[in-house]
Amino acid sequence: MPDHPLPRPSRRAVLAAAAALAAPSLACASTFPDRPIRLICPWTAGGSTDLQMRALAEAAGRILGQPMVVENRPGAGGTLGAVALLQARPDGYTLSQLPITVFRYPFMQATPGWNPLTDFTYISHITGYLFGVVVRADSPFRTFNDLIAWAKANPGRLTYGTPGVGSTLHITMEQIALKAGVEFLHVPFRGVAENQAALLAGTVMASADSSGWAQLVRDGRLRLLVTWGAERAKSFPDTPTLKELGYGIVSASPYGFGGPKGMDPAVVRILDDAFGQAINDPGHMAILERFDMSPWYLPSAEYAAFAAKQVEEERAMVQGLGLKL
């Protein structure tokens, strides 16, 4: 023990030291963003998600004073954006859409790959989809009941496309098949563009997808048989819902945007504020209306809590349906 006790640091010195340690983070927040931000869309270009994200990114970029550039990484059921976040720096310059498959896949796979509760920073919840089943305009199926009746008479021969194995569209179609007592043949694609192209070419008999089919339905090239929302779609009021047809299923697959784990809370607030304002941008609202999607904004903390609830629901669903691969 020294002869003279070491002097205790003054309160001013302690505060100065704390400020010095915090300075890099504060400096980051004070200058963020100072270059373009990458926003990963884990679906193909031209679909409802891609167009929605591009409209929102344009509006958010104007608010932030830096471009927000959308990068398409389709495949793996919409989870490649989440995979990219695992390798990205948590500096706010790499973000991704987080579809519900990000919460579902870890419980389906022997090697989970990521933990949705700890491996991401949840920034803003944005919206949800309008889903539906479409067929070609020259299809003999005039109604969804026609499709089900044919499937019953021809077990395993009714082919339908979705954006991927384990997607909400795939799982909901299998839930429909179970309730109806029929067997479908699932054909997975990488996104809405491939799914629609296969339907138009006659490769599959039906397509279950988000409302990227809307314009083709309006143009008379496709026929919409059923939608999956809680109520009839505003743009297609003559089309019944699954709920109306007695299946007791409502499916909207909500989603938001996230980043790598460990992001500076100040940067998260900047991004969240920008997305919260951009949601109401007229250009973005026009895209949502075009695809019968509704704004569903949740700020960062509420989105994180919502995600935790979704994780538990997906865990129970995967276990209940025996979907583990």
Side-chain angles (χ1 to χ4, degrees):
M1 183 173 180
D3 293 336
H4 302 286
L6 294 174
R8 295 181 64 184
S10 68
R11 183 171 181 273
R12 180 178 295 177
V14 171
L15 291 175
L21 290 173
S25 176
L26 293 174
C28 174
S30 66
T31 60
F32 181 86
D34 60 8
R35 61 183 186 273
I37 296 168
R38 180 173 56 145
L39 179 59
I40 298 173
C41 174
W43 308 100
T44 52
S48 57
T49 311
D50 175 71
L51 295 176
Q52 178 273 318
M53 288 180 62
R54 289 180 187 278
L56 189 65
E58 182 177 348
R62 289 196 299 268
I63 294 166
L64 293 167
Q66 289 288 341
M68 189 170 283
V69 181
V70 174
E71 176 184 312
N72 296 92
R73 289 198 182 186
T79 61
L80 294 184
V83 171
L85 294 183
L86 298 176
Q87 308 298 325
R89 294 181 60 185
D91 54 11
Y93 290 98
T94 301
L95 312 175
S96 179
Q97 187 225 26
L98 296 176
I100 204 164
T101 45
V102 171
F103 306 145
R104 179 181 303 146
Y105 272 29
F107 306 114
M108 294 177 60
Q109 300 168 348
T111 304
W114 61 84
N115 184 332
L117 293 177
T118 59
D119 285 341
F120 310 111
T121 298
Y122 292 93
I123 297 170
S124 305
H125 189 273
I126 304 299
T127 185
Y129 294 104
L130 171 67
F131 289 140
V133 177
V134 291
V135 295
R136 285 188 0 177
D138 60 357
S139 168
F141 306 137
R142 308 293 302 179
T143 68
F144 193 65
N145 287 337
D146 290 343
L147 181 148
I148 294 297
W150 194 92
K152 282 184 177 180
N154 300 272
R157 292 181 58 196
L158 193 291
T159 57
Y160 74 93
T162 76
V165 174
S167 65
T168 297
L169 290 144
H170 172 211
I171 288 173
T172 302
M173 284 295 286
E174 294 308 308
Q175 289 175 319
I176 292 168
L178 185 64
K179 285 178 177 287
V182 300
E183 182 181 349
F184 297 142
L185 180 59
H186 178 223
V187 183
F189 296 98
R190 293 196 308 164
V192 64
E194 291 184 4
N195 197 5
Q196 287 181 1
L199 178 61
L200 291 169
T203 305
V204 294
M205 300 168 69
S207 170
D209 215 321
S210 60
S211 50
W213 35 253
Q215 192 58 49
L216 290 172
V217 172
R218 294 187 187 104
D219 292 343
R221 299 180 64 192
L222 296 179
R223 179 183 300 131
L224 178 61
L225 301 182
V226 66
T227 56
W228 297 359
E231 300 175 348
R232 291 194 178 197
K234 289 185 295 183
S235 297
F236 304 99
D238 295 332
T239 302
T241 66
L242 284 175
K243 190 176 176 181
E244 288 180 80
L245 295 179
Y247 291 93
I249 296 173
V250 174
S251 178
S253 195
Y255 68 82
F257 298 154
K261 67 178 180 180
M263 286 178 59
D264 183 343
V267 171
V268 173
R269 283 194 296 274
I270 292 169
L271 290 166
D272 186 21
D273 288 346
F275 286 134
Q277 295 178 58
I279 280 180
N280 295 313
D281 177 82
H284 179 247
M285 291 298 291
I287 292 293
L288 291 184
E289 184 175 351
R290 173 180 168 185
F291 292 112
D292 267 285
M293 300 164 72
S294 299
W296 186 355
Y297 170 69
L298 295 175
S300 180
E302 292 181 34
Y303 181 25
F306 179 80
K309 181 181 177 183
Q310 289 286 304
V311 167
E312 291 310 310
E313 290 178 358
E314 291 302 307
R315 185 203 307 271
M317 186 271 295
V318 168
Q319 293 173 348
L321 294 178
L323 297 175
K324 193 173 183 66
L325 300 178

